[in-house]
Amino acid sequence: MARSRIKWQGTVAGSLMFAPYFILLVAFGIVPVVMALVTSLQPSRLNLGGGFANYLTVLQDFRFLPALINVAVFVLIYVPLMVIVVSLMSLLLDAVRSRWTVGLRAAYIVPAAISGAVSILVWYFMLEPTYSPYRDLLHAVGITEGSQIWAKPNLMLIFVMMAFATGAGNWIIVQYGSLQSIPDEILEAARIDGANGAQIALKIKLPLIRKYLVYMAILTFAAGLQVFVEPYLISSSVYTGLAKDWSLNQLSYAFAFESGDLAAASALSLMLLAVCVIFALIAIFKTDFFDESGVTKK
């Protein structure tokens, strides 16, 4: 009787804890997806018949393939760069213990605090030869005009740098926190067995935080696939039209608010969602993301 009462109390407590998330999930997750699905099948100005032809309209648009290539290359550079650099920096931060460590951790957060439109302005002034505090250096290497930097061939590198600078600091702190969860007994046992610092980092610490790295990879992939702010602000403010329809999310925005084709915009949004979900499922089930063997049951 007492055991069933404790179990019931646990169920009630768990339900109350989950309820706020469930409400937000339904309101801002499930309902918008259902609305997008319904909208994507409705008749539009370009497709009076509606249905799955709206998806075909998106795939046959002349802007779709260039945007798809841009985003694919962006993700292929951005995600591995983020995972590798963040892993190395968090391992170094964990290995170095000194009075400067606290200040160093705080320093990683500063670039992450400058995000969105502000980060675009910061990067613009840093790279614009006319205003940049590094203009002497830029002039020394022959860059005297902004058009030499803000050109289409350079956009990929610039957008990757922007996204990396605003996201890496937060993830370094998160992965540093995950490294703190490793029991000291395990690390001490490895030292006693003769492992050096590099072996402990690569063969002990990294495998023990792989779930956090998988989680980071999933969210970084989703963010990269939906890149929008950087090309949109550059293209709509400082260099008009330079990166117009550069990404798939920009194309979805153009369908919705420039062409008035909400059905095509919804169809493209659902395609992006499907790719994100498939990648997440592959990453989760190809790893031991949900393995609870390391969780101590109380």
Side-chain angles (χ1 to χ4, degrees), residues 128-198:
E128 177 63 40
T130 307
Y131 309 109
S132 175
Y134 313 114
R135 56 181 173 274
D136 292 338
L137 178 62
L138 293 172
H139 289 178
V141 296
I143 300 175
T144 57
E145 301 288 339
S147 58
Q148 293 176 264
I149 290 181
W150 300 100
K152 288 190 176 181
N154 302 331
L155 291 179
M156 181 68 69
L157 179 60
I158 293 173
F159 293 153
V160 169
M161 290 168 60
M162 287 179 176
F164 177 79
T166 55
N170 276 340
W171 281 116
I172 289 172
I173 299 303
V174 170
Q175 299 304 343
Y176 172 78
S178 68
L179 288 167
Q180 303 308 299
S181 66
I182 299 175
D184 290 335
E185 293 79 5
I186 294 178
L187 302 179
E188 187 60 28
R191 294 189 188 96
I192 293 174
D193 288 341
N196 57 34

